[in-house]
Amino acid sequence: MTAQHITIAASILSADFTRLGEEIAAAERGGVDTIHVDVMDGRFVPEISIGPVVLEAVKRTTRRPIDVHLMIMEPERQVPAFARSGATSMTVHVEAVPHLHRVVQQIKDLGVRAAAALNPGTPLGTVEQVLPDLDMVLLMTVNPGYAGQQFILSVLPKVRQLRSWIEERGLDLDVQVDGGINESTAPRAVDAGANVLVAASAIFKGEGGPEAAAKRLRAAATATAKAEGSRQ
Ligand code: DX5
Ligand code: ZN
């Protein structure tokens, strides 16, 4: 793999919601590229989190792209509302949709980048058929539902496999990882082929605040990317 830009996405799930605008601004000063919004419905995952109203507020506080991660059943019913509220990219879980190809087209028809997410226990084959239609694949590195969980190392071979499919097939597709990303796991994910890293607690609960924490995360991830580039 050649050295490339690593995209850092700050998941607001661990932010202080009484000061959301300031928290996002601090993460931006720390150099995050994207704001990641985790939507949970209490069915696909146990918790209920954020809806379009909060997304609209986020949209007003940032000019960065907003990446909406839908951890919900029947996402096709909510896709239009999240598109209207400001999503730049939208991710649906393959485990939550019987008609993946149709939802992907629905998202793209609304002018939004489309992504499919796989839980740690879900094989890559579930997304293979729609890879040419996607802008991004999200490989979950925790079981979705909560911030602050531990990175599941056994997902790394799946990241590697996806990256090699992309290269062999000449696809133009981002590989995103989400869950347990911190200064020690980020380099491993990048080394395996991820180029978009989502982090909640490492940024918003990191020492010194979101600005300093985001900078440290970028440095850890980029060191690997540089080493990778110089090896080839
Ligand atoms: C988990 C969410 C993640 C979560 C990450 O279900 O999709 O985006 O906020 O949290 P950390 O980075 O703390 O593992
Ligand atoms: Zn997420």
Side-chain angles (χ1 to χ4, degrees):
M1 225 171 95
T2 51
Q4 56 176 329
H5 179 73
I6 302 297
T7 297
I8 308 268
S11 161
I12 60 168
L13 201 58
S14 296
D16 175 353
F17 275 74
T18 65
R19 305 169 41 249
L20 189 54
E22 293 162 44
E23 292 270 89
I24 290 174
E28 287 181 4
R29 287 195 301 276
V32 306
D33 304 280
T34 306
I35 306 303
H36 179 92
V37 176
D38 286 305
V39 178
M40 305 180 186
D41 65 352
R43 289 178 63 212
F44 181 68
V45 291
E47 302 284 313
I48 295 176
S49 62
I50 293 163
V53 173
V54 175
L55 177 56
E56 272 169 34
V58 170
K59 183 77 184 170
R60 285 198 297 274
T61 72
T62 184
R63 292 162 100 167
R64 298 280 199 277
I66 302 180
D67 179 36
V68 175
H69 178 190
L70 297 174
M71 286 165 274
I72 63 176
M73 304 299 289
E74 301 177 279
E76 64 280 2
R77 297 176 56 199
Q78 305 299 335
V79 159
F82 283 102
R84 273 195 306 275
S85 305
T88 316
S89 53
M90 229 183 282
T91 303
V92 295
H93 268 262
V94 299
E95 304 86 358
V97 285
H99 307 294
L100 180 59
H101 182 271
R102 182 181 292 160
V103 188
V104 167
Q105 300 309 321
Q106 180 194 16
I107 296 171
K108 287 170 44 167
D109 286 349
L110 291 164
V112 176
R113 296 181 81 233
L118 276 62
N119 286 336
T122 303
L124 216 43
T126 54
V127 81
E128 183 171 10
Q129 212 58 39
V130 296
L131 283 182
D133 299 297
L134 292 172
D135 295 298
M136 181 166 78
V137 173
L138 164 55
L139 298 178
M140 290 301 300
T141 41
V142 299
N143 289 295
Y146 307 93
Q149 302 182 82
Q150 216 185 342
F151 186 88
I152 299 173
L153 276 171
S154 59
V155 179
L156 287 175
K158 190 159 62 170
V159 177
R160 235 172 255 287
Q161 177 72 64
L162 176 60
R163 178 53 69 189
S164 71
W165 281 4
I166 291 170
E167 284 174 4
E168 285 159 24
R169 301 171 193 191
L171 297 167
D172 180 16
L173 190 70
D174 287 320
V175 178
Q176 184 181 54
V177 286
D178 181 6
I181 299 293
N182 56 36
E183 287 168 67
S184 67
T185 56
R188 304 189 71 164
V190 170
D191 182 59
N195 69 307
V196 184
L197 309 177
V198 179
S201 31
I203 293 177
F204 291 107
K205 301 238 188 279
E207 219 176 288
E211 180 177 349
K215 284 181 180 161
R216 285 197 306 270
L217 188 60
R218 159 96 51 212
T222 314
T224 315
K226 280 190 189 134
E228 279 285 296
S230 64
R231 272 208 295 278
Q232 317 241 331

Short mmCIF file of all heavy atoms in Angstrom, two decimals, residues 11 13 36-40 67 69 71 138 140 176 178-179 198, ligand 2:
data_model
loop_
_atom_site.label_atom_id
_atom_site.label_comp_id
_atom_site.label_asym_id
_atom_site.label_seq_id
_atom_site.Cartn_x
_atom_site.Cartn_y
_atom_site.Cartn_z
N SER A 11 -16.36 10.63 16.41
CA SER A 11 -17.72 10.22 16.77
C SER A 11 -18.17 11.01 17.99
O SER A 11 -17.57 10.92 19.07
CB SER A 11 -17.75 8.72 17.08
OG SER A 11 -18.92 8.42 17.84
N LEU A 13 -20.48 10.55 19.94
CA LEU A 13 -21.15 9.77 20.99
C LEU A 13 -20.53 9.99 22.38
O LEU A 13 -21.22 9.93 23.38
CB LEU A 13 -21.10 8.28 20.61
CG LEU A 13 -22.11 7.35 21.25
CD1 LEU A 13 -23.54 7.80 20.96
CD2 LEU A 13 -21.92 5.92 20.76
N HIS A 36 -18.63 12.11 12.85
CA HIS A 36 -19.35 10.83 12.74
C HIS A 36 -20.50 10.83 13.74
O HIS A 36 -20.30 11.08 14.93
CB HIS A 36 -18.34 9.72 13.04
CG HIS A 36 -18.85 8.32 13.00
ND1 HIS A 36 -18.81 7.52 11.87
CD2 HIS A 36 -19.38 7.53 13.97
CE1 HIS A 36 -19.29 6.32 12.14
NE2 HIS A 36 -19.65 6.29 13.42
N VAL A 37 -21.71 10.57 13.24
CA VAL A 37 -22.91 10.62 14.08
C VAL A 37 -23.51 9.22 14.17
O VAL A 37 -23.89 8.63 13.15
CB VAL A 37 -23.93 11.62 13.49
CG1 VAL A 37 -25.22 11.62 14.29
CG2 VAL A 37 -23.33 13.04 13.48
N ASP A 38 -23.56 8.68 15.38
CA ASP A 38 -24.04 7.31 15.61
C ASP A 38 -25.52 7.30 15.94
O ASP A 38 -25.94 7.79 16.99
CB ASP A 38 -23.26 6.69 16.77
CG ASP A 38 -21.85 6.33 16.37
OD1 ASP A 38 -21.70 5.59 15.38
OD2 ASP A 38 -20.90 6.78 17.03
N VAL A 39 -26.30 6.70 15.06
CA VAL A 39 -27.75 6.65 15.23
C VAL A 39 -28.15 5.25 15.68
O VAL A 39 -27.86 4.26 15.00
CB VAL A 39 -28.46 7.00 13.89
CG1 VAL A 39 -29.96 6.91 14.04
CG2 VAL A 39 -28.03 8.38 13.41
N MET A 40 -28.80 5.16 16.84
CA MET A 40 -29.18 3.85 17.41
C MET A 40 -30.67 3.84 17.72
O MET A 40 -31.21 4.84 18.20
CB MET A 40 -28.40 3.59 18.70
CG MET A 40 -26.90 3.68 18.53
SD MET A 40 -26.06 3.35 20.09
CE MET A 40 -24.36 3.68 19.62
N ASP A 67 -20.74 12.15 8.66
CA ASP A 67 -20.85 10.72 8.35
C ASP A 67 -21.87 10.12 9.32
O ASP A 67 -21.65 10.10 10.52
CB ASP A 67 -19.44 10.12 8.57
CG ASP A 67 -19.38 8.64 8.31
OD1 ASP A 67 -20.06 8.16 7.39
OD2 ASP A 67 -18.61 7.96 9.03
N HIS A 69 -23.87 7.05 10.79
CA HIS A 69 -23.79 5.60 10.95
C HIS A 69 -25.12 5.12 11.50
O HIS A 69 -25.42 5.32 12.68
CB HIS A 69 -22.62 5.29 11.89
CG HIS A 69 -22.42 3.85 12.20
ND1 HIS A 69 -21.55 3.41 13.18
CD2 HIS A 69 -22.96 2.72 11.66
CE1 HIS A 69 -21.57 2.09 13.23
NE2 HIS A 69 -22.43 1.65 12.32
N MET A 71 -27.28 2.57 12.94
CA MET A 71 -27.38 1.26 13.61
C MET A 71 -28.85 1.03 13.92
O MET A 71 -29.28 1.02 15.08
CB MET A 71 -26.52 1.27 14.88
CG MET A 71 -25.04 1.20 14.58
SD MET A 71 -24.03 1.65 16.01
CE MET A 71 -23.99 3.42 15.80
N LEU A 138 -17.64 -0.13 6.03
CA LEU A 138 -17.27 0.02 7.45
C LEU A 138 -17.14 -1.37 8.07
O LEU A 138 -18.11 -2.14 8.10
CB LEU A 138 -18.36 0.82 8.19
CG LEU A 138 -18.35 0.75 9.72
CD1 LEU A 138 -17.00 1.13 10.32
CD2 LEU A 138 -19.45 1.65 10.31
N MET A 140 -16.76 -3.03 11.44
CA MET A 140 -16.86 -2.73 12.87
C MET A 140 -15.77 -3.50 13.61
O MET A 140 -15.61 -4.71 13.43
CB MET A 140 -18.22 -3.13 13.43
CG MET A 140 -19.39 -2.28 12.95
SD MET A 140 -19.25 -0.52 13.34
CE MET A 140 -19.16 -0.53 15.14
N GLN A 176 -13.32 1.85 6.25
CA GLN A 176 -13.48 2.52 7.54
C GLN A 176 -13.50 1.48 8.66
O GLN A 176 -14.08 0.41 8.50
CB GLN A 176 -14.81 3.30 7.54
CG GLN A 176 -15.06 4.13 8.77
CD GLN A 176 -16.41 4.87 8.69
OE1 GLN A 176 -17.45 4.25 8.47
NE2 GLN A 176 -16.39 6.17 8.87
N ASP A 178 -14.31 1.20 12.98
CA ASP A 178 -15.05 1.94 14.01
C ASP A 178 -15.16 1.05 15.25
O ASP A 178 -15.69 -0.05 15.18
CB ASP A 178 -16.44 2.28 13.45
CG ASP A 178 -17.30 3.09 14.42
OD1 ASP A 178 -16.81 3.48 15.49
OD2 ASP A 178 -18.49 3.30 14.08
N GLY A 179 -14.64 1.58 16.37
CA GLY A 179 -14.75 0.86 17.64
C GLY A 179 -13.39 0.55 18.22
O GLY A 179 -12.58 -0.14 17.61
N VAL A 198 -12.61 5.88 12.80
CA VAL A 198 -13.61 6.54 13.64
C VAL A 198 -13.18 6.39 15.10
O VAL A 198 -12.80 5.31 15.52
CB VAL A 198 -15.00 5.88 13.47
CG1 VAL A 198 -16.03 6.56 14.38
CG2 VAL A 198 -15.46 5.93 12.02
ZN ZN B 2 -20.14 4.52 14.59
#
